[in-house]
């Protein structure tokens, strides 16, 4: 694996050109986006696309997101864009919103897992935009982690999972959002969010004046195919605590077990100093929780932690995305309100 390194993100044109050459030649290259690191391949190179699925151990029925850098590239992968979809692109691109659109029939079914739709986004990270521009065609990229592991928010996470099985890694420092993009599909009378992210339901509603609902298995609207798999999971088991649970968390701190706690700062202060603590910062702001969650989970694994007690956050705005990932990763939820 070749490594290009610019932790401030200021890669030389030579490095970008060299990484782009590897992609052009059918290689797979990990690169930073504003959400998480992606593992990229040319959108039209089936051998490279197969290499992505193999490297990640990804089920073949889980489609990839296409990343574009210029509006003109959209027609290469999608068609029949509606006025509301166009409006969302104007509002939120470049940025962490993936739109599920009607697929261009010429696009390989390997990308879309045989679906008639394709997920497309224009990332805002300058390195991602420069790389796609240098390749000159759209780049397909899932998150650059082994399937089922937390998504990578730093280059070392990518190396941990994939060092032996990818051609290159562009280390552009830590990602800023920390959770994967919002995945949304526009219908004529509503928007369905298939995976919540930092483009929130309120933002989508404000841009379009359409009602915005969250997909759940319960109401018959399927989530994104990828959401049905075990996800975002560290090796340690996660207990998720909802509401005011300090006494329950304290009781669960068994000195025998290797336990860590992820919680708001004021909660952490009340817990014994001997326990390993990761802060979610001040109550009421989800930014730090989103940015740090996956790194905390991986760090706990690195320390041999066997159980992580996590304090839930308010599931609104960006908090909805954080809680969506935590619920999928948790083996137990304590304090569920019925
Ligand atoms: O922020 C992100 O979206 C990152 C960066 C690298 O861009 N990418 C990412 O890709 O998270 P991945 O493959 O880990 O997750 C893509 C999600 C999966 O849940 C997949 O099922 C869903 O998007 N998806 C892709 N195409 C779809 C489609 N046509 N219809 C419904 N869901 C789709
Ligand atoms: Mg992923």
């Amino acid at each position: 694996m070749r490594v290009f390194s610019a932790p401030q993100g200021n890669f030389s044109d030579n490095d970008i050109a060299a990484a782009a050459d590897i992609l052009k030649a059918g290689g797979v290259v990990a690169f930073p986006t504003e959400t998480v690191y992606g593992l990229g391949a040319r959108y039209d190179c089936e051998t490279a696309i197969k290499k992505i699925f193999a490297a990640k151990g990804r089920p073949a029925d889980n489609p990839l997101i296409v990343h574009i850098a210029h509006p003109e590239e959209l027609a290469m992968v999608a068609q029949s864009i509606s006025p509301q979809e166009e409006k969302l692109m104007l509002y939120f691109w470049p940025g962490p919103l993936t739109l599920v659109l009607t697929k261009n029939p010429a696009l390989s079914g390997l990308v879309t897992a045989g679906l008639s739709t394709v997920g497309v986004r224009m990332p805002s990270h300058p390195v991602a935009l420069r790389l796609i521009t240098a390749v000159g065609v759209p780049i397909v990229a899932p998150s650059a982690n082994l399937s089922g592991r937390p998504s990578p928010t730093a280059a070392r996470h990518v190396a941990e999972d994939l060092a032996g099985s990818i051609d290159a890694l562009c280390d552009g420092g830590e990602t800023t959002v920390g959770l994967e993009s919002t995945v949304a599909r526009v219908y004529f009378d509503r928007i369905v969010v298939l995976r919540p992210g930092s483009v929130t339901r309120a933002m989508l509603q404000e841009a379009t004046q359409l009602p915005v609902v969250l997909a759940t298995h319960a109401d018959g609207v399927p989530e994104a195919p990828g959401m049905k798999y075990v996800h975002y999971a560290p090796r340690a088991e996660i207990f998720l605590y909802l509401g005011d649970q300090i006494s329950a968390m304290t009781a669960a701190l068994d000195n025998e077990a290797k336990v860590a706690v992820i919680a708001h700062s004021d909660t952490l202060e009340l817990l014994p100093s001997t326990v390993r603590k990761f802060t979610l910062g001040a109550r009421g702001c989800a930014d730090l929780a989103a940015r740090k969650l996956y790194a905390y989970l991986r760090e706990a694994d690195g320390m041999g932690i066997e159980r992580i007690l996590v304090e839930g956050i308010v599931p609104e705005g960006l908090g909805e995305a954080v809680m969506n990932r935590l619920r999928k990763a948790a083996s137990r939820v304590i304090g569920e309100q019925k």
Side-chain angles (χ1 to χ4, degrees):
M1 177 181 75
R2 192 152 165 207
V3 177
F4 302 98
S5 192
Q8 308 302 321
N10 52 344
F11 289 95
S12 67
D13 288 342
N14 278 346
D15 278 356
I16 294 289
D21 283 345
I22 296 172
L23 285 164
K24 282 186 207 167
V28 295
V29 177
F31 61 94
T33 81
E34 71 279 22
T35 56
V36 301
Y37 274 73
L39 178 60
R42 282 181 68 116
Y43 84 113
D44 56 353
C45 180
E46 293 202 334
T47 41
I49 295 165
K50 285 180 186 158
K51 207 167 164 182
I52 286 181
F53 280 91
K56 283 180 58 81
R58 184 181 179 99
D61 66 351
N62 191 4
L64 305 180
I65 292 173
V66 179
H67 296 68
I68 62 172
H70 307 279
E72 310 85 75
E73 287 156 356
L74 186 60
M76 300 162 87
V77 296
Q79 62 181 25
S80 320
I81 310 299
S82 74
Q84 289 284 34
E85 288 164 344
E86 215 162 282
K87 192 185 275 180
L88 289 172
M89 292 171 196
L90 281 173
Y91 263 76
F92 299 110
W93 285 4
L97 174 65
T98 297
L99 290 170
V100 173
L101 304 168
T102 305
K103 167 185 180 294
N104 178 330
L107 179 67
S108 166
L110 285 183
V111 174
T112 60
L115 298 176
S116 59
T117 55
V118 58
V120 186
R121 83 179 189 100
M122 187 188 290
S124 63
H125 197 294
V127 173
L129 291 171
R130 286 173 70 197
L131 193 58
I132 301 164
T133 302
V135 176
V137 297
I139 295 293
V140 296
S143 51
N145 52 283
L146 284 173
S147 230
R149 297 273 299 148
S151 290
T153 55
R156 66 178 183 280
H157 303 155
V158 180
E160 254 167 44
D161 281 15
L162 302 174
S165 50
I166 64 177
D167 297 301
L169 164 58
C170 300
D171 177 356
E174 282 181 29
T175 63
T176 49
V177 177
L179 290 183
E180 309 83 349
S181 62
T182 305
V183 179
R185 183 160 181 184
V186 180
Y187 293 88
F188 78 97
D189 60 345
R190 71 201 157 130
I191 295 175
V192 176
V193 170
L194 306 172
R195 180 177 71 182
S198 69
V199 173
T200 63
R201 284 201 276 159
M203 290 159 75
L204 295 169
Q205 198 258 323
E206 195 183 313
T208 58
Q209 301 303 313
L210 287 174
V212 183
V213 299
L214 197 59
T216 59
H217 289 300
D219 64 12
V221 188
E223 299 172 289
M227 302 300 272
K228 69 174 181 279
Y229 296 106
V230 174
H231 249 87
Y232 322 112
R235 291 183 191 95
E237 61 177 351
I238 292 182
F239 287 6
L240 177 60
Y241 290 81
L242 305 182
D244 186 2
Q245 296 283 344
I246 290 175
S247 49
M249 288 174 97
T250 308
L253 287 173
D254 174 355
N255 283 334
E256 304 299 313
K258 295 180 174 164
V259 182
V261 180
I262 302 177
H264 295 100
S265 306
D266 53 357
T267 300
L268 292 180
E269 277 173 27
L270 300 172
L271 299 176
S273 58
T274 46
V275 67
R276 192 68 182 84
K277 299 172 180 178
F278 298 97
T279 182
L280 297 175
R283 214 164 282 278
C285 174
D287 290 29
L288 188 74
R291 190 162 72 245
K292 289 290 186 191
L293 177 65
Y294 291 151
Y296 288 165
L297 299 183
R298 282 179 181 264
E299 204 179 326
D301 276 349
M303 298 183 318
I305 297 291
E306 287 166 1
R307 182 176 300 162
I308 310 173
L309 313 184
V310 186
E311 184 175 36
I313 71 171
V314 180
E316 278 162 21
L318 180 56
E320 180 166 73
V322 174
M323 289 304 288
N324 166 272
R325 306 306 192 274
L326 279 172
R327 282 179 179 279
K328 283 175 190 292
S331 54
R332 274 183 62 185
V333 182
I334 296 104
E336 188 84 70
Q337 252 121 58
K338 290 275 173 224

